[in-house]
Amino acid sequence: MMKAQVPDSPLEDDDLAGDDMNGRMCIVTRESGSPDELIRFVAAPDGTVVPDLRRQLPGRGCWVKPERSLVDKAVAKKLFSRALKAEVTASQDLGAMVDRLLAANLAGMMNLARKAGQFVSGSSKVDGAVRTGEALAVFHSASAAADGVRKIDQARKAWHLGMETENEIPSFRLFAEAEMEELMGQNAFIHAAALAGQAGEGVVKRAKLLEQYRNGGPSRATGGAGQQKQ
């Protein structure tokens, strides 16, 4: 896996293909977006296309909306060579590689947030965090029992109605048991919650990105503890 070589390195002029100097353009849909709304790709020294999730790798880059189907389409239609203006090779499993990287980034941020006291697991702790408004988002393993999910959903609904927030606290089910154990080891969970704070916010941001990539379109787990209606 190619690693970042030059932190915060300036992007090539050809990266700037949107409507303004802060915009980028998806090479598949031709839609503009901010760097946070797109995934950057560059050519490695060996001519292979690699994802640059941190947007730090040097050289000419191109951008794709964070949807697996669009990355697969860019590979099938050989759009990377045109966008990067070079004879490059995009692996047929590039879409799967991006998925693995996004999942690993999320799991890594969960572990960092846990160390910072901004990520808790266990149904009772999650329920408490939701009912006190500390939770930014809740997470369930794909194998979580329906009854356990239902109880936490009831807490989310109670907080939303009681505090008159604009939206419910978002809920994610992104990892199957085997995937979570591979990514998180002893930190694997059945129910968990990201709590208020910079690290917790980082967890939610990465969770929404992974969900969008896997399901297509903006994350459906919208909302949050949020602001109360005025």
Side-chain angles (χ1 to χ4, degrees):
M1 184 184 301
M2 187 176 181
K3 296 185 180 297
Q5 300 173 13
V6 183
D8 300 320
S9 58
L11 302 178
E12 293 285 329
D13 289 344
D14 283 356
D15 275 9
L16 301 171
D19 295 330
D20 54 50
M21 288 302 291
N22 293 318
R24 307 289 186 267
M25 181 180 288
C26 173
I27 64 174
V28 181
T29 67
R30 311 305 294 174
E31 296 173 339
S32 297
S34 72
D36 286 341
E37 298 170 330
L38 301 166
I39 296 175
R40 186 174 187 256
F41 293 84
V42 300
D46 63 0
T48 59
V49 176
V50 295
D52 178 21
L53 299 186
R54 296 185 179 181
R55 305 185 292 275
Q56 293 179 334
L57 295 177
R60 188 192 310 276
C62 63
W63 304 79
V64 180
K65 289 179 63 177
E67 298 179 24
R68 171 70 182 269
S69 63
L70 296 180
V71 174
D72 290 342
K73 186 173 183 179
V75 172
K77 292 185 173 293
K78 303 185 186 304
L79 299 182
F80 288 108
S81 290
R82 184 188 310 169
L84 295 172
K85 298 182 179 179
E87 289 297 323
V88 297
T89 301
S91 171
Q92 293 298 312
D93 70 349
L94 183 61
M97 179 195 304
V98 174
D99 185 286
R100 291 193 297 271
L101 289 174
L102 291 174
N105 275 358
L106 172 57
M109 182 54 69
M110 286 175 170
N111 287 333
L112 287 175
R114 186 187 298 275
K115 292 178 181 178
Q118 296 171 22
F119 192 82
V120 296
S121 57
S123 58
S124 61
K125 289 183 179 180
V126 174
D127 185 88
V130 170
R131 293 185 184 278
T132 59
E134 295 179 90
L136 297 177
V138 300
F139 298 84
H140 306 288
S141 166
S143 60
D147 185 59
V149 174
R150 179 182 56 79
K151 290 178 180 178
I152 293 173
D153 283 347
Q154 289 174 342
R156 291 170 55 231
K157 177 69 73 175
W159 171 258
H160 168 56
L161 295 177
M163 300 303 294
E164 296 186 337
T165 57
E166 185 175 354
N167 299 291
E168 290 184 15
I169 295 170
S171 177
F172 297 91
R173 298 187 75 163
L174 296 169
F175 294 141
E177 184 176 355
E179 182 181 20
M180 190 184 303
E181 289 182 354
E182 179 181 351
L183 289 169
M184 304 188 69
Q186 64 181 7
N187 288 330
F189 57 83
I190 301 298
H191 307 287
L195 308 183
Q198 185 175 1
E201 291 171 358
V203 170
V204 178
K205 178 181 177 180
R206 286 162 177 78
K208 288 183 176 181
L209 185 62
L210 179 58
E211 185 187 61
Q212 177 177 353
Y213 186 77
R214 288 181 171 178
N215 297 333
S219 170
R220 291 173 292 182
T222 56
Q227 299 178 349
Q228 290 179 276
K229 294 180 181 179
Q230 302 298 315

